[in-house]
Amino acid sequence: MRRRAVTLLVVGLVILGSAAAAAVIHLLLGLLTLSIAVPANPEGRRAASALAQVFAAEHPRVRIRTAPVPDLAAAAASLDTRSSDLAIVRSDGAGQNSQTLAILRRDAVVFVAPAGRIDGVRALRGHAVGLLDGRPLDAKLLDLILQHYAVPPETVRRRVFTLEQLPEAVRRREVDVLFVVAPAASGAWLSLYAALRKGGEDRPRTFEIDEAAAIAKEQPVLETLDVPKGTFQGSLPSPGDDITTLSVSYRLAATAAMPDWLAGEITREVLTDKSRLAALDRDLAGIEAPDPDDKTQALPIHTGTAAYLSGNLPSLSDQMQNAVYWLGLVASGMASMGAAGAALYQRLRPRQPPTRVMRLLEIWLAVPDAEPRALDDLVAEADAIAAAAIRAEALGRAESTEMRLVTLLVSHVREAVRRCRMPAREHPQEREAASATAR
């Protein structure tokens, strides 16, 4: 019985160790599904689709699942609530729990005056500013710029248009200046200038934010951007001269709870396959690594990303080897503790006589008082018990002590039956002695 208990214990530990190893392998190399929160617009869907395709090609067991949200603010909020693993956020709308894995692109912040009458931010007081529909963060950014120039936001009228509505709005003079936030090399500028031409404006003026450096210093989530002459695509070179303006960055972000090895692996994949991502989505042509030395608390970098960029992040194979090493130590310790516990239990548990031994003892005690016709049944039962004990011994399921007791009791039963069948007149003293001993 002791050998059987030890065998079961070893088998249980092997099963437990295998399950733990499978869990670690599944965690490190198994099927992972990461949800990414993106705005529910064509721009957000293209970026998410590009990331999903690249990971499907390079990491077939890593899936990117798109989680559409209303806007960029909702995407950042999904990381704060941990309802998504990843999110595309804008630097001026990142949440408290957004940590950068990679910079996807930088958008220029510019003012375009259709009629060319306005040449600076301070001149916007009392005028109408046009905003593109579906971008609530643009309105907040406009307020921030106006406040820096001491222009009360309430003195500037707002008009929200789609590109399709813009030509008619320009034609009716419903807007004096457009506030646009878009990548410098984006095709959005071509559409914008085409809409202005339809409205009768062939020579719009693009003016710079001349205090961009001061604003960026006050607001670390913003940066300055030099835009060379003719950068924006259109029928005429725009801007007409080199300008300096503000920029915001779109970032692939995760929560601080994401393991460093996973964050580093995502960063590596995005940076090494940025050409493929750009081919899938032109807006991702400006992918770049965040600066690990940037200590700006407003836009923290994930520790896994920082470790990867500085070369201090162990590779995935190293992580796996470490995991297997520690798993082996834990399994070895558990096996040793289990074996020690089993041995201690075997030493301390109360010894109970085997059932076969107890039954043979009952048969032996019952022989003196049994009817002559019942003696054969008692002998047959004793023989059956002996046969069962021999089979158990052969299979390693019985202890040697039990076999000795079974052998002894079977011989006592046979001897008692033999004495009971002897004529009483032949050995009266022996019959009486055997009867007394049985009792």
Side-chain angles (χ1 to χ4, degrees):
M1 296 299 292
R2 180 179 179 181
R3 186 185 306 172
R4 180 182 181 184
V6 173
T7 302
L8 291 176
L9 177 63
V10 172
V11 171
L13 290 174
V14 170
I15 294 174
L16 181 62
S18 301
V24 171
I25 294 174
H26 176 78
L27 178 62
L28 294 179
L29 298 175
L31 180 62
L32 293 177
T33 300
L34 303 176
S35 60
I36 179 171
V38 296
N41 54 37
E43 186 179 275
R45 287 194 293 269
R46 284 197 307 271
S49 176
L51 289 169
Q53 290 184 54
V54 167
F55 273 87
E58 297 297 326
H59 295 281
R61 298 184 64 81
V62 177
R63 296 178 181 175
I64 302 293
R65 178 176 59 84
T66 303
V69 294
D71 50 41
L72 287 165
S78 69
L79 292 181
D80 292 339
T81 59
R82 296 191 179 182
S83 56
S84 65
D85 304 301
L86 302 167
I88 295 178
V89 302
R90 206 168 88 172
S91 58
D92 58 335
Q96 298 295 322
N97 199 27
S98 300
Q99 298 200 350
T100 302
L101 301 182
I103 297 175
L104 301 180
R105 74 173 198 248
R106 297 184 186 274
D107 283 11
V109 181
V110 298
F111 290 91
V112 180
R117 296 188 300 269
I118 298 176
D119 59 359
V121 179
R122 288 187 176 86
L124 291 177
R125 187 190 300 262
H127 290 278
V129 176
L131 300 168
L132 294 180
D133 190 19
R135 301 184 180 187
L137 286 180
D138 288 3
K140 295 181 180 180
L141 180 57
L142 175 61
D143 289 345
L144 186 150
I145 296 172
L146 292 174
Q147 289 170 359
H148 176 82
Y149 282 93
V151 178
E154 61 272 12
T155 65
V156 178
R157 301 189 305 276
R158 316 294 172 89
R159 298 288 187 270
V160 180
F161 305 102
T162 64
L163 285 175
E164 292 76 14
Q165 297 169 336
L166 185 58
E168 185 64 21
V170 171
R171 189 178 299 113
R172 293 183 178 183
R173 304 291 181 181
E174 296 178 5
V175 60
D176 299 310
V177 67
L178 297 174
F179 182 69
V180 184
V181 182
S186 172
W189 297 103
L190 183 60
S191 301
L192 176 67
Y193 289 120
L196 291 176
R197 286 201 310 273
K198 289 181 181 178
E201 298 293 339
D202 290 333
R203 294 184 177 275
R205 175 173 182 154
T206 303
F207 59 87
E208 67 179 357
I209 302 175
D210 53 358
E211 296 184 17
I215 297 175
K217 187 175 181 179
E218 294 175 358
Q219 304 291 333
V221 295
L222 304 176
E223 297 177 273
T224 60
L225 179 67
D226 294 326
V227 181
K229 176 182 176 180
T231 297
F232 303 143
Q233 299 177 13
S235 57
L236 294 175
S238 183
D241 294 304
D242 295 349
I243 64 172
T244 298
T245 187
L246 289 170
S247 71
V248 294
S249 57
Y250 281 73
R251 300 175 175 233
L252 180 62
T255 65
M258 177 175 284
D260 285 355
W261 68 266
L262 181 56
E265 182 65 14
I266 294 174
T267 301
R268 184 197 66 80
E269 191 61 49
V270 171
L271 295 180
T272 55
D273 280 330
K274 59 183 180 181
S275 58
R276 186 182 306 177
L277 288 169
L280 295 171
D281 181 5
R282 291 183 58 188
D283 288 343
L284 298 180
I287 290 177
E288 60 182 277
D291 184 2
D293 297 326
D294 185 4
K295 304 302 180 183
T296 302
Q297 294 301 315
L299 297 170
I301 300 174
H302 197 286
T303 53
T305 296
Y308 165 74
L309 295 175
S310 61
N312 296 324
L313 184 69
S315 65
L316 194 58
S317 60
D318 292 338
Q319 299 269 355
M320 185 61 184
Q321 291 176 4
N322 290 337
V324 172
Y325 171 75
W326 286 108
L327 181 62
L329 288 181
V330 172
S332 177
M334 291 178 61
S336 300
M337 292 178 62
L344 182 62
Y345 174 75
Q346 291 293 334
R347 291 183 59 186
L348 298 181
R349 71 170 183 172
R351 293 287 182 176
Q352 297 293 335
T355 303
R356 288 186 286 262
V357 173
M358 294 301 296
R359 180 54 187 158
L360 286 173
L361 183 60
E362 293 173 355
I363 293 173
W364 181 40
L365 296 176
V367 167
D369 298 328
E371 296 293 333
R373 290 174 298 180
L375 293 177
D376 291 338
D377 295 336
L378 293 177
V379 172
E381 184 178 356
D383 291 341
I385 292 174
I390 293 173
R391 283 193 296 271
E393 172 69 14
L395 295 175
R397 299 176 182 174
E399 297 182 0
S400 57
T401 302
E402 180 183 5
M403 283 304 302
R404 288 197 298 270
L405 292 174
V406 167
T407 304
L408 179 63
L409 287 171
V410 168
S411 64
H412 283 5
V413 168
R414 288 185 171 278
E415 179 63 21
V417 170
R418 186 186 68 80
R419 291 178 179 275
C420 287
R421 288 174 174 171
M422 291 177 59
R425 62 178 179 273
E426 292 184 4
H427 300 285
Q429 296 85 4
E430 294 183 5
R431 180 69 178 269
E432 291 177 1
S435 176
T437 301
R439 291 192 182 92

